[in-house]
Amino acid sequence: MVGLYRVKGKCMDVAERKTTLERFGLTHLGAVHENLPAARLVEAAVRRREGMISSSGALLAKTGKRTGRSPKDRFIVENRLTRDTVAWGAVNKPFSPEAFDAILEKASAYMENLDEVYVVDAYAGADPRYRLNVQVVTEFAWHALFARQLFRRPDREELRSFEPEWTVISVPGYLTDPEEDGTESETFVGVDFERKLVLICGTRYAGEIKKSIFSVLNFVLPTEHDVFPMHCSANVGDDDDVALFFGLSGTGKTTLSADPERRLIGDDEHGWSDEGVFNFEGGCYAKTIDLSPEKEPQIYGAIRFGAVLENVGMDRKTRQEDYTDRTLTENTRAAYPLEHIEGAVPEGMAGHPSAVLFLTADAFGVLPPISALTPEQAAYYFLSGYTAKLAGTEADMETEVEATFSTCFGAPFLPLPATTYATMLSDRLREHGTRCYLINTGWSGGPYGVGERVDIAATREMVRAVIGGKLDDAVTEKDPFFGLNVPKEVPGVPTEILDPRETWSDKEAYDEQAKKLADLFRENFQKFEAEVSDDVREAGPHS
C-alpha cells in the first residue's frame, strides 16, 4: 500500500497524519496497528504464530538464537552530543552517523515489505517532569505487547495529544551484514542521541527494547536534570520507608522487592530526584528459572493473561509451563504490567529511600550474607558491582564459577563515566542519611557445587531488619578479608550463618577462596583508582 497507512482497519492518506514513522523513511508500509489493547495483541501474536497461550493465560514466545542481550552488538552514534560526553570503550562503542543511516535505510526497506507493523506510544518515567515520550515500532505483535506492558501506558486522553520524543524501531527479521555494515554480527543495536532514535536489528530478545531506553535515560537524566538513574528495584512500606535493591541478573533483585508486606514501586529501573524515587517502567521483567508459588508468590501470581513468557518450557499438550526447563536458556523471563502485582504503587513514585541494598550472588561462597557499609564502602562496592556467573549461563565459561564486575550494577547501560553515577549515589546517601548494606544471596558453607544457597527466607528477614532500622545499633564484627562490618545478630536469622568462614568445614579452603575473591576485587578496581578519593580506594578488601 504505497503512500497509505492502514490504522486499526482504516486507511488514511500519509499526509493526513504526521508521525515519527515518516521522519525515518517509513512511509510505504502495510497495515499499521497503533496502540492495540493487550487482548488484540495476544490475538494477533497467536494468529501470526509468534507464540502460544500457556495454561496460565500468558503468551509464550521464543526468541531463537538470541536468548539475552547482545552487549557486543550495541553502538552509540558519535556526534556533537556524544563525542565529548560518552565514556567510549568496550561498552560504549562509537558508530558513524553515515553507517547508522545506511543500516536504517535497509531496515526501512525491509519493513516496507511486511504485511503488518505494530506501534506502541508510551512513557518512560513516572515523574511527569522527567518522563520521555517513546514510540516503539516493531514487526512482531508480541514485541508490541511486551513494550505495552513494560513501559508506562498513557490513557486515552493522553494518547490524543501524544507527541513522540524518542523512537525505537525494532526489526528482528532484518539481519545486518558485518562486512558491509561495520557491525560485529547480524545483530545491531544502535542509539542516536541527536536524532533520538534507537534501531534494533537481528534479535528477537524483547529486553533490548526496554534496555535501550534505559541507556537513553542514563544519559539524559544526569546531564539535563541532575536526576540519578538507577538499575534497581524499589518498594515502600506502610511508614513510607522506601528501599532500593541494586543487583545484577540472578541476585534476587526482583524476588526480594516483590514482598507481600510492602508495596512494589518497580522491579528494575528508577530515578532518584530532589523529591524522591520514581519508576521508569509500567511493568516488571522477571527471571523465571525455577519459579515457584512457594518462594516467589507475587511473581508467580502475576503470570496470567496479558503477561509474556520468553523461552519458558511448556508441555505442548497440556500447555503447562515448566519453569525448571533450561533447554533454551537459564535466562527465561516473564514480562507483566505492574497492576498484576497486588498492592503495587500505581503512580510509580515515592519519597527518598531509607535503605539501599546491594545484592550479590557470591558463588565463591565467601562473602557474609549481610554487611553494613560505610559511605566509602558503598561507593567502592557500587563501582565494583560484583556477582558471580555459574557454569552453563555463558557459552564460553572455562570454570565452574567466574566473578562478574558490572560497574554500578549496570555497566552495559551507562553511557557516562562510572564515577558520575557513583558520586550521585554517595551524595544522596549522605544528604538523606540513607543506610546501605551488602546482601549476599549466593552460597554459604562452600562454593557453588559444594555449599548451599542462602535460604531465601533468611535473606528476607535480613532485608526486613535493615529496612526496619533493627540493625542501626547492632554490634558488628569486621570481616578479615573484605573489611565489611558484619552484624553478630539479626532478628529471625540463625547466628551460625552470619560468619561465612564458620559455615565451611574446611577453614583453610575458605581462606584460600576468600583471598582469591579479594584479589579479584582489587584487580578490577584498578581502573577507578585515579578517579576516586583515598578513602574510597581504601574501602575495599585489604588482605
Side-chain angles (χ1 to χ4, degrees):
M1 289 191 58
V2 177
L4 293 176
Y5 287 120
R6 181 178 290 139
V7 181
K8 298 179 183 177
K10 298 180 181 179
C11 294
M12 61 177 65
D13 194 293
V14 172
E16 294 178 6
R17 177 172 172 81
K18 299 295 183 183
T19 72
T20 57
L21 303 185
E22 298 175 69
R23 290 172 45 214
F24 303 119
L26 302 176
T27 57
H28 302 140
L29 299 174
V32 178
H33 303 286
E34 292 188 284
N35 298 313
L36 297 184
R40 291 189 61 184
L41 289 171
V42 172
E43 288 175 349
V46 173
R47 169 177 57 83
R48 290 159 50 89
R49 298 183 180 274
E50 296 175 5
M52 302 174 67
I53 303 295
S54 72
S55 61
S56 68
L59 177 70
L60 193 152
K62 296 181 179 179
T63 63
K65 179 180 179 180
R66 306 281 177 165
T67 58
R69 290 182 298 100
S70 301
K72 294 181 181 179
D73 298 303
R74 174 184 172 274
F75 299 87
I76 295 176
V77 175
E78 185 177 6
N79 53 37
R80 62 182 180 84
L81 287 179
T82 60
R83 188 167 294 114
D84 299 322
T85 53
V86 167
W88 302 109
V91 171
N92 300 310
K93 296 184 291 187
F95 210 70
S96 74
E98 295 77 18
F100 183 91
D101 286 345
I103 297 176
L104 176 60
E105 184 176 349
K106 295 174 185 177
S108 299
Y110 169 86
M111 293 192 77
E112 289 175 353
N113 289 318
L114 299 174
D115 293 331
E116 296 176 284
V117 173
Y118 295 84
V119 176
V120 176
D121 293 326
Y123 298 129
D127 191 327
R129 298 178 298 167
Y130 309 119
R131 71 187 181 195
L132 296 182
N133 289 9
V134 178
Q135 184 170 81
V136 178
V137 184
T138 182
E139 64 176 296
F140 290 149
W142 83 267
H143 274 195
L145 177 63
F146 176 92
R148 184 188 185 278
Q149 306 297 50
L150 264 294
F151 290 117
R152 300 191 67 83
R153 294 164 291 282
D155 59 31
R156 287 188 178 184
E157 189 62 34
E158 289 172 324
L159 281 174
R160 290 192 181 98
S161 58
F162 189 93
E163 291 291 338
E165 183 179 1
W166 273 82
T167 302
V168 178
I169 298 175
S170 176
V171 279
Y174 176 70
L175 308 181
T176 61
D177 184 333
E179 187 172 332
E180 185 175 305
D181 298 320
T183 58
E184 294 285 340
S185 71
E186 74 277 4
T187 297
F188 175 74
V189 180
V191 183
D192 187 337
F193 283 95
E194 192 167 84
R195 299 177 69 179
K196 299 184 177 181
L197 173 65
V198 175
L199 178 61
I200 303 171
C201 305
T203 175
R204 296 187 180 207
Y205 182 67
E208 296 284 13
I209 296 172
K210 91 179 198 84
K211 287 303 185 183
S212 63
I213 290 300
F214 182 42
S215 297
V216 168
L217 289 164
N218 279 331
F219 181 90
V220 172
L221 291 179
T223 58
E224 297 183 9
H225 304 291
D226 193 32
V227 170
F228 174 35
M230 305 174 293
H231 185 210
C232 70
S233 56
N235 63 24
V236 60
D238 292 337
D239 297 327
D240 296 326
D241 49 344
V242 175
L244 304 182
F245 301 79
F246 288 85
L248 303 178
S249 179
T251 59
K253 182 161 56 72
T254 298
T255 300
L256 291 171
S257 60
D259 186 337
E261 297 182 10
R262 296 172 61 80
R263 303 177 67 201
L264 183 69
I265 303 169
D267 88 319
D268 198 41
E269 301 163 5
H270 293 82
W272 190 345
S273 73
D274 57 348
E275 293 187 0
V277 171
F278 64 95
N279 190 5
F280 291 165
E281 303 176 291
C284 301
Y285 193 36
K287 288 195 73 170
T288 58
I289 200 69
D290 295 327
L291 180 70
S292 70
E294 294 79 24
K295 291 186 176 180
E296 298 166 298
Q298 285 196 313
I299 297 172
Y300 192 90
I303 299 173
R304 52 184 188 266
F305 186 81
V308 178
L309 294 175
E310 280 185 331
N311 299 316
V312 172
M314 181 180 73
D315 186 309
R316 294 180 68 88
K317 291 183 178 180
T318 65
R319 301 294 180 91
Q320 181 66 47
E321 302 96 335
D322 180 1
Y323 294 115
T324 66
D325 190 338
R326 290 165 163 79
T327 304
L328 297 177
T329 178
E330 286 267 348
N331 189 38
T332 56
R333 295 271 180 171
Y336 47 86
L338 269 173
E339 54 263 30
H340 281 198
I341 296 289
E342 185 177 355
V345 180
E347 61 274 19
M349 295 188 289
H352 295 291
S354 59
V356 167
L357 301 107
F358 298 158
L359 308 178
T360 179
D362 175 32
F364 290 90
V366 295
L367 283 179
I370 181 170
S371 310
L373 302 181
T374 65
E376 293 75 25
Q377 287 176 322
Y380 184 97
Y381 284 95
F382 186 61
L383 283 168
S384 298
Y386 165 72
T387 193
K389 292 185 296 188
L390 303 179
T393 61
E394 297 285 345
D396 58 352
M397 282 186 63
E398 298 179 355
T399 60
E400 284 288 298
V401 177
E402 286 187 8
T404 296
F405 294 96
S406 184
T407 306
C408 305
F409 298 100
F413 323 115
L414 306 182
L416 303 175
T419 50
T420 301
Y421 308 101
T423 299
M424 297 185 90
L425 172 67
S426 296
D427 290 347
R428 282 157 176 76
L429 291 178
R430 289 188 176 92
E431 180 181 355
H432 302 289
T434 305
R435 58 183 72 94
C436 188
Y437 278 72
L438 178 67
I439 304 289
N440 175 22
T441 64
W443 276 256
S444 178
Y448 168 72
V450 177
E452 295 183 356
R453 193 147 190 185
V454 179
D455 182 68
I456 184 65
T459 301
R460 286 195 184 279
E461 290 300 327
M462 297 178 210
V463 168
R464 288 167 181 161
V466 171
I467 296 172
K470 297 177 181 178
L471 302 180
D472 289 355
D473 299 318
V475 176
T476 63
E477 191 170 65
K478 194 168 289 291
D479 181 275
F481 289 94
F482 301 95
L484 297 165
N485 301 300
V486 182
K488 299 196 73 171
E489 292 185 358
V490 177
V493 177
T495 56
E496 59 267 22
I497 74 169
L498 297 178
D499 183 343
R501 190 174 189 271
E502 290 304 310
T503 66
W504 284 52
S505 57
D506 186 339
K507 303 297 190 289
E508 290 184 1
Y510 171 87
D511 293 343
E512 182 180 344
Q513 193 85 320
K515 185 178 184 304
K516 177 182 177 181
L517 182 58
D519 288 342
L520 290 172
F521 265 99
R522 286 194 294 271
E523 179 182 348
N524 172 75
F525 204 79
Q526 287 177 3
K527 58 180 175 283
F528 302 119
E529 287 186 345
E531 305 172 43
V532 300
S533 68
D534 291 342
D535 288 343
V536 172
R537 192 181 307 113
E538 295 169 3
H542 52 267
S543 63

